[in-house]
Amino acid sequence: MQTSFKKTVLRTALLAALCGAGVAQAATIVIQSRDPAGVGFNDTTPVAPVGGNPKTTLGEQRMYVYRYVADVWEKALDSDVTITVNAGWEALTCTSSQAVLGSAGAWNIWHDFPGGTPGTWYPQALANKLAGENLSADQPPGPSGYDNVDIKTQFNINLGKTGCLDGSPFYLGLDGNFGTGVNFVETLLHELGHGLGFSVLTVYTGSVASAVGYRLNADGTAYVANGGLPSVWEQYMYDNTAGKSWLTMTSAERRVSAVNPLGLAWTGPNVLAGAGMLSATPVLKVASSAPGQSGQYAYGTASFGPAVSSGLTLGALATVSADAVNGAGCLPFSPADTTAVVGKVAIIDRGTCGFAVKAKNAQNAGAIGVIIANNAAGAAPGLGRRGPDGGDPDGQRLAGRRRQAARGDHRVGAVRYPRQAGPGDLVVVHRSEQACRR
């Protein structure tokens, strides 16, 4: 998903308060197409009905799905003010193996209007609901034709073609049988959520690392380190590590929180009310005197060895040295590494040889447990069993930055690995790349 802040409309003058009673039980969503003739929603290519979509041209099928998804959102929302979505099909970034499916965002945002919290940014659909009127009603559509809409969306017109996620086009049925394609219903449901405002457009999260966490100023012209206005959602974005919400954080604190694995939570009233439906996510908890090392980290478990259990304390961590030639932990440990890991949990970078090989070498050196440090982005995978002589060569096909675990006073809780005989009796736990960083 890509979301860009494109345009800000400000309205600080007092508006007439909404008079009248009654609460809407739904909302109305109007879809505007900006596609030219023969393109996107206007593509007349003949197609067969599919998965509950009865239309017989490509453009009609696309709009049928769009209307279907808009109807789903209408039933879930509560607003007396019509929500206008401008939609189009465009050539978005893609290669044969990956692609931007689409994007959506609130096209106008507001602060200091009747019904809203003063000095707070709101997406237009929500601002209109609270104000009881269309705040951009007196704004012309402009040359683009959509300067005054609530939401702007765009989806990849080339998806599935050669050079753009080859062979995986949008599936335009409603039944979920998308096979090797991409479910457009699911994608659009997600993106319209962003367009309705479920995103933080007014906090910078882009590629300039030093500016991450900055807020948008009241004029809507720049992200600033100090003096910007908060988003309405920041009050519900709570960082368990910092012990505070984004609303009360500095820009520097928001920058750290934005990439805090398992540390940033949503504390809105509906989520809290439904918390009983959720199950806890198992984590490794690391405590360290080294700055920035403590925290909770996701992990996957090995398919061999004793089962991982929670509520236990392991003790100290120790790092196994990097080996650019043979791979960390792939050979019997050196005297220095052996001394470091005896009676401790060894942290070994993923790569080159199999997980079981690394675990066996650590166990032979006297480690009581092993954490394999993931060196690829994404969730930690589970670990399959391979014998010491038949490795699982994982690292050679992984891309991305490697980070070495830090030596020092680290302690980890939540799981225990009893030492027993045999190469499979040492449990291997994956942790995320950020678990122990240099």
Side-chain angles (χ1 to χ4, degrees):
M1 188 279 297
Q2 291 187 340
T3 304
S4 300
F5 176 77
K6 297 292 188 181
K7 184 174 179 63
T8 306
V9 178
L10 305 172
R11 187 165 180 134
T12 55
L14 291 178
L15 301 174
L18 175 67
C19 297
V23 178
Q25 298 302 307
T28 299
I29 296 177
V30 172
I31 304 165
Q32 296 178 348
S33 169
R34 63 178 180 275
D35 289 332
V39 175
F41 291 116
N42 301 316
D43 190 326
T44 57
T45 301
V47 294
V50 59
N53 188 331
K55 300 302 181 177
T56 56
T57 71
L58 182 57
E60 289 173 341
Q61 284 196 352
R62 287 167 170 163
M63 182 56 76
Y64 191 87
V65 175
Y66 216 111
R67 185 66 260 169
Y68 172 85
V69 171
D71 290 346
V72 172
W73 271 112
E74 283 185 346
K75 294 179 177 66
L77 299 173
D78 172 9
S79 180
D80 289 325
V81 184
T82 296
I83 299 168
T84 303
V85 181
N86 186 273
W89 290 82
E90 301 172 1
L92 303 180
T93 302
C94 56
T95 67
S96 292
S97 59
Q98 60 185 10
V100 174
L101 303 180
S103 61
W107 196 245
N108 290 286
I109 58 176
W110 299 82
H111 68 78
D112 292 285
F113 57 88
T117 300
T120 302
W121 285 113
Y122 288 78
Q124 179 162 298
L126 178 57
N128 285 350
K129 167 189 164 62
L130 296 175
E133 64 171 305
N134 182 1
L135 297 175
S136 65
D138 58 357
Q139 178 185 346
S144 70
Y146 49 78
D147 283 359
N148 56 359
V149 302
D150 300 89
I151 301 169
K152 178 177 176 284
T153 72
Q154 41 280 320
F155 289 92
N156 200 329
I157 197 168
N158 293 321
L159 196 71
K161 298 178 182 178
T162 300
C164 190
L165 205 63
D166 299 20
S168 296
F170 278 119
Y171 175 70
L172 300 178
L174 311 181
D175 57 1
N177 294 321
F178 51 92
T180 60
V182 176
N183 191 347
F184 187 46
V185 169
E186 183 178 47
T187 305
L188 183 55
L189 277 168
H190 175 101
E191 291 301 331
L192 279 185
H194 288 304
L196 287 163
F198 297 105
S199 62
V200 188
L201 295 176
T202 58
V203 176
Y204 182 78
T205 57
S207 60
V208 181
S210 61
V212 171
Y214 285 15
R215 285 173 173 157
L216 189 67
N217 63 14
D219 292 332
T221 56
Y223 292 99
V224 293
N226 299 293
L229 301 184
S231 160
V232 63
W233 308 123
E234 290 184 39
Q235 61 186 308
Y236 302 124
M237 300 170 69
Y238 186 86
D239 191 291
N240 287 290
T241 304
K244 59 175 70 174
S245 73
W246 276 32
L247 187 64
T248 59
M249 284 185 179
T250 64
S251 292
E253 288 173 326
R254 284 189 294 274
R255 178 165 60 249
V256 173
S257 178
V259 290
N260 185 10
L262 297 178
L264 184 59
W266 182 266
T267 59
N270 291 336
V271 169
L272 295 179
M277 297 184 295
L278 306 176
S279 58
T281 299
V283 295
L284 288 174
K285 184 176 182 180
V286 176
S288 173
S289 58
Q293 303 301 318
S294 298
Q296 297 179 351
Y297 304 98
Y299 67 89
T301 58
S303 62
F304 52 89
V308 174
S309 59
S310 58
L312 303 175
T313 299
L314 283 169
L317 304 179
T319 304
V320 174
S321 301
D323 185 338
V325 177
N326 303 296
C330 293
L331 297 179
F333 284 12
S334 67
D337 281 336
T338 297
T339 299
V341 304
V342 169
K344 298 179 181 179
V345 179
I347 302 177
I348 310 174
D349 275 356
R350 180 182 182 181
T352 306
C353 65
F355 302 125
V357 174
K358 296 172 186 279
K360 175 60 173 173
N361 287 332
Q363 179 173 307
N364 288 345
I368 63 170
V370 172
I371 294 174
I372 302 295
N374 201 2
N375 57 359
L383 311 184
R385 180 171 185 166
R386 296 290 188 275
D389 299 322
D392 177 14
D394 48 86
Q396 298 301 322
R397 58 178 179 267
L398 293 173
R401 182 177 57 217
R402 293 186 59 175
R403 294 179 178 174
Q404 300 301 319
R407 296 184 187 273
D409 180 22
H410 294 75
R411 303 190 72 81
V412 61
V415 292
R416 175 182 299 170
Y417 316 108
R419 289 195 62 208
Q420 301 176 17
D425 289 334
L426 194 62
V427 172
V428 183
V429 173
H430 247 54
R431 59 97 162 124
S432 63
E433 180 187 5
Q434 296 84 3
C436 289
R437 296 171 293 182
R438 187 180 297 279

